[in-house]
Amino acid sequence: NAGVTQTPKFRILKIGQSMTLQCTQDMNHNYMYWYRQDPGMGLKLIYYSVGAGITDKGEVPNGYNVSRSTTEDFPLRLELAAPSQTSVYFCASSYSGQTFNQPQHFGDGTRLSIL
Amino acid sequence: EDKVVQSPLSLVVHEGDTVTLNCSYEVTNFRSLLWYKQEKKAPTFLFMLTSSGIEKKSGRLSSILDKKELSSILNITATQTGDSAIYLCAVGSNFGNEKLTFGTGTRLTIIP
């Protein structure tokens, strides 16, 4: 059981480039999330999805886009990369969105540097 | 704005010591408090505490939720080098929609 899988693990981008961070889960979870983790800061929610075809903004959505065409996949798109987007990105999933009921399960993260 | 504060920020102890990590919170409509362990990669789930389950224990790790003081502690007894990690506290709340608010974490280092 692979759980939540993120690719790539590391990436260096130039300012203004774009890329897609991939996330897939094999637990048949309805809810999926994208977080970023900056040094000395807690994880911040970028976007989340409650099911295929449904996405919503989190706390820090600017500069990112998402889509959810299947239950398994939840890619995160960076358009016009900026140095402020240098961070570690985590994808997570949970069966339900109720925080008192089901913990979120995390992927190993993607370390992204924008130079 | 919801807030989760962890202390200390970092802690260095010798193998065999007992440690206590703290998490305090201010959120609207509290639902749960979760502890995660983060080594080099993914945060891994340790405990979930709620109004109906304020104490959890697994081996050398235990956690208690104090809803009156709006805080939680994570205890690790007889620490081992494998306990070295960042411990994250996250609080679930519901103000329109469910969300998790994370603290900045406590970096625990165990010296052999």
Side-chain angles (χ1 to χ4, degrees), chain B residues 81-94:
Chain B
T81 54
D83 295 327
S84 294
I86 296 173
Y87 289 84
L88 300 173
C89 173
V91 176
S93 60
N94 187 328

Side-chain angles (χ1 to χ4, degrees), chain A residues 9 35 37 40-45 48 59 90 97-109 111, chain B residues 1 31-32 34 36 38 40-43 45 48 50 86 88 91-93 97-104:
Chain A
K9 295 191 186 325
Y35 292 90
Q37 185 178 38
M41 307 284 286
L43 278 77
K44 301 290 186 186
L45 182 65
Y48 67 99
E59 191 178 355
F90 286 100
Q98 294 174 324
T99 59
F100 62 93
N101 195 337
Q102 296 280 336
Q104 293 177 18
H105 298 273
F106 287 80
D108 284 345
R111 186 175 294 276
Chain B
E1 182 180 332
R31 302 280 258 176
S32 61
L34 295 86
Y36 285 86
Q38 185 177 21
K40 294 193 188 300
K41 297 182 177 179
F45 172 71
M48 177 186 290
T50 66
I86 296 173
L88 300 173
V91 176
S93 60
N97 58 299
E98 298 267 347
K99 68 170 187 176
L100 281 182
T101 301
F102 283 82
T104 55

